[in-house]
Amino acid sequence: MKKIQNFVNGEYTAPFAKHYLDNYNPATGEVYSLVPDSDEKDVEIAMQYAQATFPKWASTSVEVRSRILLKISELIEKNLDKFAEAESIDTGKPISLARQMDIPRAATNFRFFATAIQHYATAAHATDHIAINYTLRQPLGVVVCISPWNLPLYLFTWKIAPAIAAGNCVIAKPSETTPMTAYLLGEICQEAGLPAGVLNILHGLGNKVGTALVAHPEVKAISFTGSTATGATIAKLTAPQFKKISLEMGGKNPNIIFADCDYDKMLETTLRSSFANQGQICLCGSRILVESSLYERFKADFVAHTRQLQVGDPAFPVTQQGAIVSSAHFQKIMSYIDLAQQEGGKILCGGEAIKFSGRCAGGWFIAPTIIENLPIDCRTNQEEIFGPVVSIMPFDTEADALKYANGVRYGLSATIWTQNTARAHRLAAQIQAGVVWVNCWLLRDLRTPFGGMKDSGIGREGGWEALNFFTEAKNVCIKYD
Ligand code: NAD
């Protein structure tokens, strides 16, 4: 059976204790590889290499760093098929989605920061004709990047690329549930000529190697994407050490649909924003608010289109809905479907597990599920489910839509569908979310700040925000006389 290894100081290495965890294929329910169960000893070893490498990497010219990052980007693209297959097997997502979204976006992350770092500039301020102030931006040292299972390579590289572009050395930990593409990235880094020790990848459990990484006193910054509960643990652990942290966490995103929207575009995109990656994208809209006059038409069409989604083997190119990432997550989603019914929800479609025969007989599949009639403040409408389950509800006025949209502890993203631009601007300004899409979804410009408000996050990633996060600003004030 394939044994995934850590990537430390430019080499694939076994975890110090030689312990491994099972890695499952969600489409079959079978163990298909082993993943290192790393611990604090592995953190210590990786830290020594990363620290030893840091001065050299920090003083490597931007031109050279940029070329290496561009090469990594090219090599990911060259190996698109290999990465897409690995990602699909590891996560259960349709291979078409991995090919079209996850892997190309991972390559783009490296390309974007390879070029962004060349244009990264700081300001100078002349002070009353007596002095000049200028800002120096310097890399931090060894930083930690921790990512979740839903978009494994995409989110992993979204953190690593700006960190190393800015001259830091990185110890990165992918999710133990989906380690395969991070493992393959090591080979690419070797081939691209990334100096040993710049990127170190440790696999293993969050509450073991993850905790050891976060708590290590020499770690200067932590960029984390995952659940709000884990983010809170990291915040608590790191606060007394005054580490820089960026936390990208959960969401319960509203999708607000007005009767004057471009109906066909809205319907097509809402299908995607509800169920792409089996609803396991932090930016999926899980609460669909529809203006009352459009509600019945939308409900009928949305249910009809959802029923037509092809659920099946993620390896088939025609599959639109693959497997749920793990048995534990499958159970969690199913328990929310039960809860929704106890809370008065009416299942309009889906609501059950799907069993296949043949290769996928043991896989974890759930039919895309639409629920209506749920009170706005019930648990199903308040808590993150992170699966193919959406709740739909009507609203009467713009003020009601805004109240419902903002009435959760989360504030990651929101989508507004309307042709009325004044209304779009008005609502966008008032919605408590870090990202607001108007008449689109998941359209990303990597120069823009990305992150959540309220319990969805602190800090922003993307563009200069990421490069600012991974550098320390120092002001130098020189008096003229
Ligand atoms: P998770 O919090 O369980 O795990 C995320 C990562 O943190 C994993 O690598 C895990 O091993 C590690 N981890 C767990 N406990 C840790 C600890 N105590 N110390 C250090 N590391 C620890 O999240 P998940 O289940 O992998 O991912 C799903 C969640 O991620 C959802 O809540 C989703 O909304 C969120 N998410 C957010 C964004 C965003 O941009 N805001 C993007 C994708 C996913």
Side-chain angles (χ1 to χ4, degrees), residues 146-149 173 176 206 224-227 230 249-250 282 384 450:
I146 299 179
S147 55
W149 50 255
K173 194 197 92 59
E176 59 274 31
F224 164 82
T225 300
S227 65
T230 306
M249 304 183 287
C282 56
E384 186 185 46
F450 175 85

Side-chain angles (χ1 to χ4, degrees), residues 298-428:
F298 170 79
K299 178 169 107 175
D301 288 342
F302 186 48
V303 167
H305 281 71
T306 299
R307 285 207 174 107
Q308 283 165 17
L309 287 172
Q310 288 273 339
V311 184
D313 189 334
F316 293 160
V318 292
T319 295
Q320 294 167 299
Q321 292 282 295
I324 301 301
V325 75
S326 66
S327 164
H329 196 52
F330 170 89
Q331 299 297 347
K332 176 186 156 185
I333 297 169
M334 293 307 294
S335 76
Y336 270 105
I337 293 174
D338 285 347
L339 175 69
Q341 292 168 93
Q342 289 161 31
E343 290 181 323
K346 179 175 168 206
I347 308 273
L348 298 176
C349 69
E352 76 261 319
I354 299 184
K355 279 282 159 211
F356 293 105
S357 54
R359 191 181 96 90
C360 293
W364 305 304
F365 295 85
I366 297 178
T369 300
I370 304 172
I371 307 171
E372 74 167 350
N373 208 28
L374 282 165
I376 196 80
D377 55 356
C378 71
R379 283 184 55 203
T380 315
N381 265 337
Q382 292 288 321
E383 297 174 13
E384 186 185 46
I385 300 173
F386 213 53
V389 180
V390 295
S391 147
I392 62 171
M393 65 202 94
F395 68 82
D396 291 326
T397 65
E398 188 180 310
D400 286 344
L402 186 65
K403 191 172 89 188
Y404 299 159
N406 287 342
V408 289
R409 63 191 277 238
Y410 296 106
L412 187 53
S413 73
T415 307
I416 303 167
W417 289 95
T418 180
Q419 303 273 42
N420 179 337
T421 45
R423 172 156 62 199
H425 286 299
R426 200 164 52 232
L427 272 178

